[in-house]
Amino acid sequence: MANLLITGGAGFIGGNFVHYWAEKHTGDTMVVLDCLTYAGNESTIAGVEQAELVKDDIRNTERIEKLLREREIDTVVHFAAESHVDRSISGPDAFIDTNILGTNSLLKAARTVWLDEGSGKAHRFHHISTDEVYGSLGPDDPAFSETTPYRPNSPYSASKASSDHLVRAYHHTFGLEVTTSNCSNNYGPYQYPEKLIPLFLLNALHGRSLPIYGDGMNVRDWLHVEDHCRGIEACLAKGQPGETYNIGGGAELANMTVIDTICAEVDLAFEEIDDLAERYPDAPAANGHATSSLKTFVTDRAGHDRRYAIDERKARAELGYSPRHEFEEGLRQTLRWYLENESWWRALL
């Protein structure tokens, strides 16, 4: 039986992890620490009896220390982060505060309680990061591996790179038992509708334009959030302290391919679900038109990385990880989840 502190556990990936862990590890307890910003939603983890929500900021080091002591926490899974690249361009300060200072606050608290107070408690601090810390790949470059040099190109990725280095330093300097995973683009249920897949779905339902940066040929690897949760579980169970593992989805796709797949799946949903046209009368598909008619090209994002790709051979070999979701099937499940859970995303908007 483990006692987990899950930071950012009311957000997209963290919330899915809470659901996953509750199903797979029924005897464990979870304290979810989340300050419930725009991207954190209490309803995401509503009904998970194993999870206790504590509303606070990860920069509140004293509160973290108290939780670690009083709840006898032995595992920290650190999701909490500002993560939207566009927001980091318009307002980088929040990314420095949360991603760097917040991570340092958690590490300080863990060091104090787990190491300095001499409890000798077996512990693990797992840090969730991103493939964006590695920078941008050319069309023929090999995929990112755990030894790829860091070359972050946005304030978001720079702040995550800094937090990665802090986690590594706390292991090598102080002996904190840490692991880090760098993941590719996640998709799935409970994702705040500022990211590509839920944004384009909701825009399509309401007849709004689908804004495509540049030529739409930027390439990303797509990872279903449930596969990501399985990868984190494997890191906690089999990961070696001080090591980093890349967690990918095995679906390297151009943005335009993803967008065209979304459009096709929305059209299909309107054909198969009788009441969609009545519920969303402004959707082109409700009036016999193709969703793709909403595609609009806009000025490219500043510093937009061209290609990401994940080499996950280390995770396969050392953790036994491999993704189970094929992209088209996972995307269909995701879109249908949003259609079936309108009350969840309506409350956000």
Side-chain angles (χ1 to χ4, degrees):
M1 176 176 168
N3 299 322
L4 285 72
L5 176 67
I6 302 171
T7 72
F12 164 45
I13 306 176
N16 275 279
F17 181 80
V18 168
H19 284 279
Y20 178 88
W21 201 264
E23 179 182 346
K24 302 295 183 180
H25 303 268
T26 56
D28 292 354
T29 63
M30 292 177 283
V31 176
V32 173
L33 182 70
D34 201 301
C35 62
L36 300 179
T37 63
Y38 76 94
N41 188 348
E42 188 172 353
S43 67
T44 295
I45 57 172
V48 181
E49 294 182 0
Q50 287 167 248
E52 174 193 357
L53 177 63
V54 175
K55 184 180 178 181
D56 211 331
D57 196 304
I58 58 173
R59 293 172 295 173
N60 187 346
T61 311
E62 290 185 5
R63 184 69 180 280
I64 308 298
E65 291 179 8
K66 185 177 180 182
L67 287 171
L68 294 178
R69 290 190 195 98
E70 292 184 352
R71 310 305 169 85
E72 299 183 337
I73 301 294
D74 50 45
T75 305
V76 171
V77 188
H78 177 32
F79 294 96
E82 295 285 347
S83 64
H84 192 45
V85 175
D86 286 351
R87 288 178 183 266
S88 82
I89 294 170
S90 60
D93 287 0
F95 290 74
I96 305 302
D97 288 344
T98 298
N99 299 354
I100 302 177
L101 299 181
T103 299
N104 188 54
S105 169
L106 289 166
L107 290 165
K108 284 193 301 180
R111 176 194 173 194
T112 296
V113 175
W114 287 341
L115 300 180
D116 293 350
E117 295 179 358
S119 67
K121 189 177 187 65
H123 64 269
R124 176 62 60 90
F125 186 110
H126 184 73
H127 174 59
I128 288 84
S129 189
T130 171
D131 58 359
E132 296 193 36
V133 299
Y134 299 122
S136 185
L137 293 170
D140 299 318
D141 289 339
F144 300 134
S145 75
E146 291 81 359
T147 60
T148 300
Y150 276 29
R151 293 190 178 93
N153 291 321
S154 71
Y156 162 60
S157 57
S159 68
K160 290 298 290 184
S162 298
S163 65
D164 293 3
H165 292 320
L166 280 171
V167 172
R168 173 184 170 85
Y170 267 76
H171 172 71
H172 286 276
T173 301
F174 305 117
L176 198 67
E177 301 282 298
V178 308
T179 43
T180 295
S181 55
N182 294 78
C183 68
S184 50
N185 275 31
N186 278 230
Y187 68 99
Y190 299 111
Q191 188 170 30
Y192 187 81
E194 66 184 355
K195 300 297 179 73
L196 190 151
I197 289 175
L199 174 67
F200 276 45
L201 169 63
L202 299 191
N203 278 12
L205 295 178
H206 295 94
R208 296 192 289 259
S209 67
L210 307 180
I212 303 166
Y213 281 132
D215 62 1
M217 298 309 293
N218 299 74
V219 173
R220 300 293 183 262
D221 176 65
W222 290 89
L223 171 65
H224 192 282
V225 68
E226 184 180 88
D227 283 333
H228 189 190
C229 293
R230 291 179 43 252
I232 296 167
E233 179 185 41
C235 287
L236 292 171
K238 301 177 182 178
Q240 293 301 305
E243 290 296 313
T244 296
Y245 301 92
N246 283 350
I247 307 296
E252 187 180 339
L253 300 168
N255 284 349
M256 189 62 75
T257 300
V258 174
I259 293 163
D260 286 340
T261 305
I262 293 170
C263 291
E265 288 295 335
V266 170
D267 291 344
L268 179 63
F270 272 83
E271 292 177 10
E272 295 182 345
I273 302 174
D274 291 338
D275 68 341
L276 282 191
E278 181 180 349
R279 287 164 58 190
Y280 305 107
D282 294 328
N287 301 289
H289 303 299
T291 300
S292 60
S293 63
L294 296 173
K295 293 194 296 186
T296 305
F297 290 92
V298 299
T299 302
D300 205 358
R301 168 193 286 160
H304 199 178
D305 290 337
R306 190 63 172 175
R307 172 177 170 246
Y308 303 149
I310 285 281
D311 179 347
E312 62 194 29
R313 285 177 293 179
K314 180 178 177 180
R316 287 177 182 268
E318 297 186 15
L319 307 179
Y321 167 79
S322 61
R324 294 178 180 172
H325 288 268
E326 296 291 336
F327 178 73
E328 287 194 11
E329 170 246 342
L331 179 66
R332 179 171 298 170
Q333 290 177 356
T334 298
L335 298 188
R336 298 300 172 102
W337 183 90
Y338 278 91
L339 292 174
E340 293 167 4
N341 291 272
E342 181 178 345
S343 61
W344 181 84
W345 55 261
R346 283 283 187 198
L348 305 183
L349 303 179

